[in-house]
Amino acid sequence: MFIQEIKEDRVTTNIFDQIALGWYNFRHWSIFAKELEALACRWQKGSLLNVGCAHGPDFLPFRASPPDEPFRQNFTLYGIDSSLEMLRLAQRYSRKFDFIVNRLVADARYLPFADEAFDWAISVATYHHIKGEVERQAALGELRRVLKPNGEAFITVWNRWQSRFWLSSREVSVPWRTQDKTLLRYYYLFSYPELERQAKQAGFQVVKSFPESSPRYPAKFFSRNICLLVRKSD
């Protein structure tokens, strides 16, 4: 496992180190399974980067070949996360579900890969943990840099206009409670137009902007999550 010097907020990294085991049990399965399964069918094969992979549940749709083909792992999987504890659990998770993933401790704003290294990328619930618009923009720019021309990326973040945040500011601290302490996780809350604008500023073409498959509210504007599919144009 490669370890890069982490330049992200040390407090955020430390918090996710502390909640890693609880998160492994709480979010053992991806809440975006339908969306990711559709992308696995769309993309078929290739090198795939997961930015902010945690313990790795979002890899599962990419681990196997289509049902009518002999078993093989069609995607070469890479996952980066700033939390070493999350990546240690990713090793356990990949063994449990029998897939191979290359794990790296790294910063989303300084990806340790060559230009145009990946065919595809996913980033589930990661960019909303990065503080500062300049820093978030840098992370999106890095994502575009490591994608091949016409490569696509799937991004999810929390929506500013979901009901529980109507009276909140754009920056919130969300508690994670353990037996002996409460840890506060930083979130930046995006709107649909803002995320689309920042993706375009990073040089992406927005292919599709949509809510999760089972939104709490039928109106896109109030969905809990914003899902974005983008493409690196020539």
Side-chain angles (χ1 to χ4, degrees), residues 190-222:
F190 285 87
S191 66
Y192 279 90
E194 181 181 17
L195 182 60
E196 292 170 20
R197 172 180 58 78
Q198 291 199 5
K200 291 175 181 177
Q201 286 178 348
F204 284 113
Q205 171 192 352
V206 175
V207 177
K208 187 179 180 182
S209 174
F210 56 104
E212 66 270 30
S213 57
S214 300
R216 234 175 247 184
Y217 294 92
K220 169 182 172 180
F221 189 74
F222 300 114

Side-chain angles (χ1 to χ4, degrees), residues 29-148:
W29 307 99
S30 176
I31 63 172
F32 296 98
K34 290 182 179 179
E35 291 83 359
L36 295 170
E37 287 166 3
L39 289 171
C41 291
R42 176 186 177 95
W43 294 340
Q44 294 291 311
K45 61 182 179 180
S47 54
L48 181 137
L49 173 64
N50 186 344
V51 178
C53 65
H55 62 274
D58 300 310
F59 283 121
L60 286 183
F62 302 98
R63 63 175 284 274
S65 56
D68 58 343
E69 295 184 11
F71 178 82
R72 64 180 182 276
Q73 187 168 307
N74 281 3
F75 292 89
T76 304
L77 303 176
Y78 287 79
I80 71 115
D81 204 284
S82 62
S83 167
L84 179 59
E85 292 304 315
M86 287 287 191
L87 290 179
R88 285 174 175 160
L89 291 169
Q91 182 178 27
R92 179 197 299 184
Y93 196 85
S94 63
R95 287 175 177 171
K96 177 178 179 178
F97 290 101
D98 192 27
F99 65 93
I100 298 170
V101 57
N102 301 283
R103 299 165 296 120
L104 300 91
V105 179
D107 187 322
R109 299 168 303 163
Y110 305 93
L111 296 175
F113 305 107
D115 295 355
E116 301 180 4
F118 296 97
D119 296 296
W120 322 108
I122 61 174
S123 185
V124 172
T126 295
Y127 294 113
H128 55 213
H129 291 305
I130 300 175
K131 292 184 179 180
E133 182 174 352
V134 172
E135 306 304 311
R136 290 186 290 273
Q137 195 68 54
L140 288 169
E142 276 289 273
L143 182 65
R144 184 185 185 279
R145 180 184 67 78
V146 301
L147 277 177
K148 296 177 182 178

Side-chain angles (χ1 to χ4, degrees), residues 15-32:
I15 286 173
F16 279 94
D17 279 340
Q18 293 181 68
I19 73 172
L21 184 57
W23 190 254
Y24 179 89
N25 296 319
F26 173 71
R27 189 66 76 203
H28 205 64
W29 307 99
S30 176
I31 63 172
F32 296 98

